[in-house]
Amino acid sequence: MTKEMPKHFDPIGSEKHWYADWIKNGYFHADECSDRVPYSIVIPPPNVTGSLHMGHALNNTLQDVLIRYKRMAGHEALWMPGTDHAGIATQNVVEKQLASMGTDRHALGREKFIENVWEWKEKYGGVILQQLHRLGSSCDWERERFTMDDGLSIAVREVFVRLYHEGLIYQGDYIINWCPRCHTALSDLEVEHHDRKGHLYHIRYPAVDGSGEVVVATTRPETMLGDTAVAVNPADERYRSFIGKSFHLPMTRRDIPLIADDYSDMEFGTGAVKVTPAHDPNDFEIGERHDLPKMVVISMDGTMTHEAGERYEGMDRYECRQKLIEDLREGGYLVKVEDYDHAVGQCYRCQTVIEPILSLQWFVRMKELAQPAIEAVKDGRISIIPGNWEKTYFEWMYNIRDWCISRQIWWGHRIPVWKCGDCGEVIVQVEEPKTCPECSSSDLHQEEDVLDTWFSSALWPFSTMGWPQETDALKKFYPTSCLVTGFDILFFWVARMIMMGIKFMGDVPFKEVYIHALVRDSEGHKMSKSRGNVIDPLVVIDQYGADAFRFTLTAFAAMGRDIKLAGDRIEGYRNFINKIWNASKLVLSYLEEVSGEDLISPPDAGEIHNRWIRSRLATVIAQTRESIEGYRFNDTAHILYQFFWHEYCDWYLELAKPSLYGDKGESALHETAVTAGMVLDNFLRLLHPVMPFVTEEIWQRLPSEGASIMIAPYPEAMPDDADEKAEEIMNVVMDFITTIRNLRTELGIPPSTRVQATFVCPDSGIAEMLDGSSADIIRLARLSDIRFAKKREVDAGLSAAVVRGQEVLISAADDLDRGAESERLSRELAKVNVELAKVEKKLVNPQFLDKAPDEVVQKNKDLLEELVAQKGKLQENLERLND
């Protein structure tokens, strides 16, 4: 017996009830000991400081579609959840909290500060995961991980130690991107470049021997105080006589050499460049080649050092710039100042302009790790979808630089390196040493820096499954099946996971990478607080429900195309839910005598509408599976929407009503009730990965077998139900009904008025199809009768239309407006002429004929023939009308 449905679907109540039920029954949990084929995804771990935004909503909706589909399709499906400790971001949040209390981390000390961060994490860190519950994410919450939990911390130390002992981690002086606000180094990827209006300062450096001068140009004049050379191209004839000479560095007591180096571009500016090895990465490389001294003139807090000279020491870098320009102008060294637009690097967290500074940091040598990761994508072990991102991936990997992994903050994985205070021995190991292995001293000091957050994230696919232990989870679920992510972290995270996975697991971390696009506002603008166009996913869920929101994101997730999101679109799909709900109420009212076994193994269909909808369902099942497997999520949504609304509701349920009402007898009633219920059951299971809540709510009321739709089998293609003849008949019938409805509308014939129709059918096959369904045509087209003829009789009182090369004539009102009818036929003729021109153009195009598949060419030839016939019929009707 089916359960009665409420009048309206209650999304909020349903979401709370069913999500709790799914968790209670352990439906999200994956079993590493099962014999099912594994399918696994690791969630891109959101920052522990974060809250759900549109990017998260899209990313996690698509992951949930995949994981629910695979779970229903019989796989042992694992979706590994967790959060990232987000070193700089989290420390900034807690430091702001401390500042509001009138203190700071230095006053607390490191140990107490870390305790405060953990307390904050326990109180607020799970917010975003709870928000994922609202979205319906079916993660295996029993396995939830955090990048600084005990297991992952061991994995991080193990990786660091192994890389260090293999010579792939080293410490050295290098130009790093330094944030004076966050007081930490940033990797190249953590620096955001923004175009700014600035100035280009041209400065004169005179030769010490009075033989001339060189002019250099810079956007950062304060760095000239750290210049240790001027470089020119060795092929530049203008400076050949100057090479090896000394030049006076203005505003200092130092002289610097002019050197020859290929880095200098003869075509840019004056061809002479200032060389500041401690404050520019390119200059650093020049300094290494020429053994130049490295003078640090800007300190870690953005002020000028003693090396900058007494006049500027202690000044802020920008204050120094203004003072220096004044001094250069007064001294006659400033040649000119030009307006100059250029890209300025800023901290991705606080937007402070970064300062390239020479510093002792820890690095990973990347070239050796990158090559196997390049090969993995080249040989197809990893597919990046859409494929155009592979080019971007290769460009970055081939030009990869060593990765600065040390950060001068306190929250994070502290680098597992200790130095003996007595003998200077450096100890690198997983466990904290008690004494020095060389001198047995207990005076050991651990490295103060922590590791870049992305270091631990790079291990995510295997550390979350228990590595370095050989766990059952790793054996079952690694490598993972797919990674769903945004393009913005392709290098931050994806490439590094590939490198680390191959290095430590001997295999790729995932087989496919699906890169989704951005969610933008309705005008196509990127969402940002400054624009005021940010849409809060939780507000959307409260207003429309999670199902409507998820379906909207899925429907617009076309591969490689950004999503333009607006409220009216979400509202439109909420209406789709209402349609599903109301249609289900109708069908359920006829399922009292239908069993679960009937839905699984329905009797053979005899009624044409039942044969047709079963055949269409078989096609839709195959198309839906194919679209999800191919990451064509928008196609999945479109296929299901069109099938349910425009085929099942608009046509099938209308065609089925006489059978359901008992007008065709008990047998037809049972057959149609079973078919309607079976199609609804299959549709709900097809739709469940996208709309989990409403599908469960309705499915629970069907006489289906099983505890929950989310563990019910995903529908499989039913080739035995394919019925080309039934589809052909129904397509003809629907075309004729639609044509008559359109004619009635154009002629202003009210729905209550029944009219006679004449079908002029030279094609006896079509006539037979129409005759067999005449009762349905009369009912749905609101006709009084149908007459069949093989050729047109002259009758000026009939309005005509052409469909499939046949004519449809209906009786018009006695006072037919011949002028209006002529205009209508002329409009139809114009439409046909436009379509005809398009098809003719294709069929005379040699490229189309050569490249298009044979079936496509033939389809266009058939269409041409049909359009020519249609044109002829319309012209005849116009001539008759005007006679």
Side-chain angles (χ1 to χ4, degrees):
M1 184 175 178
T2 57
K3 303 170 189 173
E4 187 177 347
M5 290 178 67
K7 186 176 180 180
H8 302 292
F9 173 57
D10 171 21
I12 302 300
S14 179
E15 289 160 17
K16 287 180 180 177
H17 173 75
W18 289 117
Y19 201 84
D21 185 77
W22 295 331
I23 289 180
K24 175 186 171 185
N25 287 289
Y27 295 149
F28 298 166
H29 183 62
D31 181 6
E32 58 259 47
C33 299
S34 80
D35 57 3
R36 290 183 171 195
V37 175
Y39 182 86
S40 54
I41 298 176
V42 291
I43 196 171
N47 287 353
V48 72
T49 57
S51 59
L52 195 68
H53 59 61
M54 276 298 168
H56 293 131
L58 172 63
N59 182 271
N60 286 281
T61 293
L62 300 184
Q63 289 179 82
D64 201 37
V65 169
L66 291 171
I67 213 75
R68 285 180 182 270
Y69 163 69
K70 288 293 184 178
R71 188 185 289 121
M72 294 175 74
H75 291 256
E76 194 62 49
L78 166 65
W79 187 8
M80 179 73 75
T83 49
D84 191 283
H85 67 277
I88 295 174
T90 307
Q91 179 157 319
N92 278 346
V93 168
V94 178
E95 285 200 75
K96 286 178 183 177
Q97 191 179 67
L98 291 175
S100 69
M101 299 162 58
T103 186
D104 60 31
R105 64 182 170 116
H106 300 289
L108 286 181
R110 184 168 193 147
E111 189 174 334
K112 186 65 177 174
F113 176 75
I114 296 299
E115 286 178 16
N116 273 32
V117 182
W118 275 108
E119 287 173 9
W120 181 93
K121 185 264 178 187
E122 294 306 314
K123 189 173 181 180
Y124 301 106
V127 169
I128 192 166
L129 297 183
Q130 289 303 313
Q131 291 172 337
L132 290 178
H133 289 206
R134 291 289 315 277
L135 192 64
S137 303
S138 60
C139 301
D140 189 345
W141 298 113
E142 296 175 39
R143 298 177 187 269
E144 182 186 327
R145 304 306 298 267
F146 176 54
T147 49
M148 279 186 63
D149 66 27
D150 290 342
L152 271 68
S153 294
I154 290 171
V156 167
R157 285 188 169 202
E158 184 71 31
V159 166
F160 183 96
V161 170
R162 291 192 195 182
L163 291 175
Y164 177 84
H165 289 302
E166 289 183 35
L168 292 174
I169 283 182
Y170 65 94
Q171 192 179 30
D173 280 328
Y174 201 74
I175 293 289
I176 50 108
N177 304 301
W178 181 261
C179 175
R181 159 63 183 80
C182 296
H183 294 285
T184 190
L186 302 173
S187 71
D188 292 342
L189 295 174
E190 291 170 315
V191 177
E192 295 179 351
H193 291 275
H194 299 280
D195 290 336
R196 280 192 174 189
K197 293 187 179 298
H199 296 95
L200 191 62
Y201 302 91
H202 296 258
I203 304 167
R204 183 171 64 86
Y205 289 15
V208 171
D209 64 3
S211 59
E213 65 183 26
V214 292
V215 176
V216 299
T218 179
T219 58
R220 300 160 63 216
E222 65 276 10
T223 63
M224 68 168 284
L225 300 172
D227 285 1
T228 54
V230 174
V232 296
N233 193 289
D236 196 333
E237 294 289 344
R238 293 172 294 177
Y239 300 109
R240 182 158 294 181
S241 63
F242 284 170
I243 294 173
K245 287 188 175 183
S246 293
F247 286 76
H248 175 61
L249 184 62
M251 314 320 299
T252 74
R253 298 187 178 92
R254 292 190 294 114
D255 298 330
I256 56 176
L258 189 142
I259 60 174
D261 192 278
D262 290 330
Y263 173 76
S264 299
D265 182 355
M266 292 186 291
E267 304 300 320
F268 183 76
T270 64
V273 295
K274 60 190 285 301
V275 181
T276 320
H279 293 281
D280 183 276
N282 295 311
D283 293 2
F284 177 84
E285 299 294 343
I286 296 173
E288 290 293 287
R289 289 193 291 272
H290 296 271
D291 196 26
L292 297 175
K294 303 174 181 68
M295 296 183 63
V296 177
V297 294
I298 303 175
S299 67
M300 297 297 189
D301 64 0
T303 61
M304 306 308 290
T305 69
H306 177 71
E307 296 279 8
E310 293 179 9
R311 188 181 308 189
Y312 308 109
E313 182 180 359
M315 284 185 178
D316 173 79
R317 52 184 169 160
Y318 297 119
E319 181 188 358
C320 173
R321 178 180 299 179
Q322 296 307 315
K323 173 62 175 167
L324 181 61
I325 293 304
E326 291 174 11
D327 292 344
L328 289 169
R329 185 177 283 111
E330 288 180 11
Y333 297 110
L334 187 63
V335 178
K336 62 179 177 177
V337 179
E338 295 178 309
D339 290 337
Y340 188 68
D341 294 345
H342 61 126
V344 176
Q346 296 177 192
C347 174
Y348 79 114
R349 280 293 168 198
C350 67
Q351 301 305 306
T352 299
V353 175
I354 63 100
E355 194 64 54
I357 288 180
L358 186 69
S359 176
L360 187 64
Q361 301 286 339
W362 291 92
F363 294 87
V364 178
R365 300 185 198 279
M366 300 301 284
K367 292 284 187 187
E368 185 176 324
L369 294 171
Q371 193 55 44
I374 291 170
E375 295 302 321
V377 175
K378 285 177 71 175
D379 63 25
R381 281 176 291 151
I382 295 177
S383 297
I384 301 178
I385 305 161
N388 59 290
W389 285 106
E390 289 190 2
K391 180 182 178 183
T392 310
Y393 172 84
F394 288 133
E395 284 177 356
W396 188 75
M397 294 295 277
Y398 280 124
N399 295 287
I400 200 166
R401 292 175 56 182
D402 286 356
W403 175 16
C404 176
I405 56 170
S406 46
R407 298 290 180 269
Q408 289 68 47
I409 57 176
W410 288 352
W411 173 245
H413 295 280
R414 198 167 173 181
I415 292 175
V417 173
W418 291 262
K419 189 171 183 179
C420 177
D422 289 337
C423 72
E425 177 70 9
V426 174
I427 306 154
V428 181
Q429 62 185 51
V430 174
E431 299 297 331
E432 183 174 358
K434 302 299 181 186
T435 58
C436 174
E438 286 296 312
C439 70
S440 299
S441 171
S442 59
D443 184 18
L444 305 178
H445 304 280
Q446 186 175 358
E447 169 66 59
E448 293 287 328
D449 291 353
V450 301
L451 290 166
D452 178 8
T453 297
W454 295 102
F455 190 91
S456 52
S457 300
L459 320 181
W460 189 250
F462 55 91
S463 63
T464 51
M465 296 187 198
W467 189 91
Q469 302 301 314
E470 294 183 8
T471 64
D472 289 337
L474 278 170
K475 292 173 186 174
K476 180 77 173 179
F477 296 114
Y478 189 95
T480 63
S481 308
C482 170
L483 179 77
V484 179
T485 187
F487 63 85
D488 52 334
I489 54 175
L490 181 59
F491 311 122
F492 270 117
W493 190 45
V494 180
R496 288 164 177 171
M497 281 192 289
I498 295 173
M499 288 184 269
M500 293 299 187
I502 294 172
K503 176 67 177 175
F504 292 99
M505 291 297 297
D507 201 352
V508 296
F510 26 73
K511 296 162 190 172
E512 294 178 323
V513 179
Y514 176 71
I515 298 177
H516 59 73
L518 290 175
V519 183
R520 298 180 179 273
D521 70 10
S522 59
E523 301 298 319
H525 298 130
K526 188 174 180 179
M527 291 187 190
S528 66
K529 291 179 181 178
S530 60
R531 280 185 179 270
N533 63 347
V534 174
I535 302 174
D536 185 338
L538 297 175
V539 172
V540 172
I541 292 172
D542 286 337
Q543 187 174 359
Y544 300 104
D547 284 332
F549 182 42
R550 288 168 60 111
F551 196 88
T552 305
L553 292 173
T554 307
F556 291 100
M559 196 176 291
R561 191 187 310 154
D562 287 348
I563 295 172
K564 294 181 181 179
L565 192 68
D568 58 345
R569 297 181 181 220
I570 306 168
E571 186 175 2
Y573 289 122
R574 183 178 62 183
N575 294 338
F576 180 43
I577 293 173
N578 294 337
K579 186 78 170 179
I580 296 169
W581 188 261
N582 292 330
S584 299
K585 283 174 67 178
L586 172 66
V587 173
L588 281 164
S589 67
Y590 292 98
L591 299 185
E592 292 294 330
E593 305 300 323
V594 174
S595 68
E597 183 60 33
D598 287 333
L599 299 187
I600 296 171
S601 303
D604 291 340
E607 298 287 319
I608 186 66
H609 53 269
N610 291 332
R611 288 169 50 200
W612 168 70
I613 200 66
R614 290 189 189 187
S615 183
R616 288 295 304 128
L617 176 64
T619 300
V620 165
I621 289 171
Q623 290 175 336
T624 304
R625 279 178 164 267
E626 183 185 358
S627 63
I628 296 178
E629 295 280 358
Y631 302 101
R632 299 193 321 277
F633 298 102
N634 60 313
D635 286 348
T636 302
H638 177 75
I639 290 163
L640 295 175
Y641 182 94
Q642 292 294 323
F643 172 71
F644 191 83
W645 194 305
H646 298 300
E647 294 183 275
Y648 186 72
C649 292
D650 287 354
W651 287 106
Y652 174 71
L653 291 180
E654 292 302 317
L655 290 162
K657 281 179 179 177
S659 297
L660 293 173
Y661 293 163
D663 297 348
K664 295 186 176 183
E666 196 64 34
S667 176
L669 168 58
H670 183 71
E671 176 194 307
T672 302
V674 169
T675 299
M678 181 271 288
V679 174
L680 178 60
D681 169 63
N682 276 271
F683 169 75
L684 292 173
R685 286 185 282 133
L686 288 170
L687 181 63
H688 176 75
V690 185
M691 285 187 175
F693 297 108
V694 71
T695 53
E696 182 76 279
E697 194 73 48
I698 298 171
W699 192 83
Q700 289 291 333
R701 292 171 165 79
L702 288 173
S704 305
E705 297 183 353
S708 169
I709 192 173
M710 70 165 289
I711 55 171
Y714 202 77
E716 294 189 39
M718 302 176 286
D720 291 346
D721 280 344
D723 192 331
E724 290 184 11
K725 186 61 178 176
E727 290 201 38
E728 183 185 6
I729 292 170
M730 284 307 305
N731 286 337
V732 169
V733 169
M734 290 186 294
D735 282 352
F736 272 73
I737 292 172
T738 300
T739 299
I740 294 169
R741 286 173 172 172
N742 291 340
L743 265 176
R744 293 178 63 111
T745 300
E746 290 170 3
L747 294 170
I749 300 172
S752 59
T753 302
R754 291 185 175 272
V755 295
Q756 186 185 67
T758 299
F759 295 161
V760 181
C761 296
D763 188 323
S764 59
I766 289 180
E768 185 180 342
M769 294 179 198
L770 294 170
D771 190 37
S773 297
S774 58
D776 287 327
I777 298 171
I778 288 171
R779 182 170 56 87
L780 296 177
R782 307 291 293 167
L783 302 176
S784 59
D785 187 25
I786 297 175
R787 291 178 58 242
F788 286 89
K790 286 194 174 180
K791 65 179 183 177
R792 170 77 180 267
E793 299 171 3
V794 177
D795 190 338
L798 297 178
S799 290
V802 181
V803 55
R804 291 179 173 261
Q806 320 301 302
E807 286 183 277
V808 176
L809 311 175
I810 66 170
S811 302
D814 293 337
D815 56 344
L816 174 68
D817 185 336
R818 298 172 71 89
E821 179 65 359
S822 177
E823 285 182 14
R824 186 186 68 78
L825 289 172
S826 297
R827 287 197 302 271
E828 289 298 312
L829 184 60
K831 289 180 187 175
V832 169
N833 281 330
V834 170
E835 291 302 312
L836 194 57
K838 288 180 183 176
V839 177
E840 287 175 334
K841 187 176 181 181
K842 279 186 182 179
L843 291 175
V844 296
N845 184 344
Q847 285 190 323
F848 173 75
L849 296 173
D850 290 343
K851 295 181 180 180
D854 292 342
E855 61 270 23
V856 174
V857 174
Q858 187 57 49
K859 186 177 179 181
N860 276 270
K861 288 180 178 177
D862 294 342
L863 179 59
L864 177 68
E865 188 177 328
E866 184 180 325
L867 289 169
V868 168
Q870 194 172 342
K871 178 179 179 178
K873 299 287 185 187
L874 288 167
Q875 287 174 330
E876 285 177 23
N877 289 331
L878 265 172
E879 288 169 6
R880 285 195 185 98
L881 191 67
N882 296 324
D883 282 345

